[in-house]
Amino acid sequence: RLGGETPKALVDLFGRSMLRRSAEALAACAEVNSRIVVAPEGFERIAGDEVQGTGKLRAVVKGGATRQDSVREGLARTTDRDVVVLVHDAARPFIEASVVARVLEGVRTHGAAIPVVGLS
């Protein structure tokens, strides 16, 4: 729907890609211990370059043909020590660390959570 040759997550928004903006927000959340970036096939290196220096990066892996396949590829890189796993779509680049923290609190309290942000 966005069109173009560049994957949506790598599109620049005011000087930073959507992927980098998402990576920075997740890394800024103290409760997040590590991140796995799933990138479209052939864009793994570029995605890795985009998140370089944002911290807490465990791996950059090749995604699949569908969103479900890509989530599966990311989950395959988790370990037994990963108690909670969050799935975030970099096409939603304006997530804030405080929202991530509230989602994690919801998981601890209720076993699962999704973020909902009111319109202002």
Side-chain angles (χ1 to χ4, degrees), residues 12-32:
D12 185 273
L13 288 176
F14 309 106
R16 291 181 292 167
S17 71
M18 289 195 260
L19 174 60
R20 183 161 189 96
R21 288 175 177 279
S22 294
E24 289 170 346
L26 289 165
C29 181
E31 292 90 348
V32 172

Side-chain angles (χ1 to χ4, degrees), residues 27-47:
C29 181
E31 292 90 348
V32 172
N33 296 319
S34 66
R35 293 172 297 114
I36 299 167
V37 173
V38 181
E41 183 174 3
F43 288 90
E44 300 92 343
R45 184 190 57 75
I46 295 169

Side-chain angles (χ1 to χ4, degrees), residues 5-119:
E5 298 291 321
T6 303
K8 185 172 19 179
L10 298 174
V11 169
D12 185 273
L13 288 176
F14 309 106
R16 291 181 292 167
S17 71
M18 289 195 260
L19 174 60
R20 183 161 189 96
R21 288 175 177 279
S22 294
E24 289 170 346
L26 289 165
C29 181
E31 292 90 348
V32 172
N33 296 319
S34 66
R35 293 172 297 114
I36 299 167
V37 173
V38 181
E41 183 174 3
F43 288 90
E44 300 92 343
R45 184 190 57 75
I46 295 169
D49 291 347
E50 280 296 308
V51 298
Q52 185 68 29
T54 59
K56 303 180 184 180
L57 181 64
R58 179 182 300 170
V60 177
V61 300
K62 178 180 74 162
T66 66
R67 177 179 170 86
Q68 291 85 353
D69 293 335
S70 293
V71 170
R72 187 178 308 109
E73 293 299 325
L75 290 173
R77 293 301 297 265
T78 62
T79 70
D80 292 342
R81 294 182 310 198
D82 297 317
V83 178
V84 175
V85 175
L86 302 178
V87 176
H88 178 71
D89 185 343
R92 282 137 186 91
F94 298 113
I95 187 76
E96 296 178 2
S98 61
V99 173
V100 176
R102 288 195 309 271
V103 168
L104 286 167
E105 179 59 30
V107 170
R108 286 191 289 274
T109 304
H110 304 288
I114 59 170
V116 177
V117 179
L119 299 174

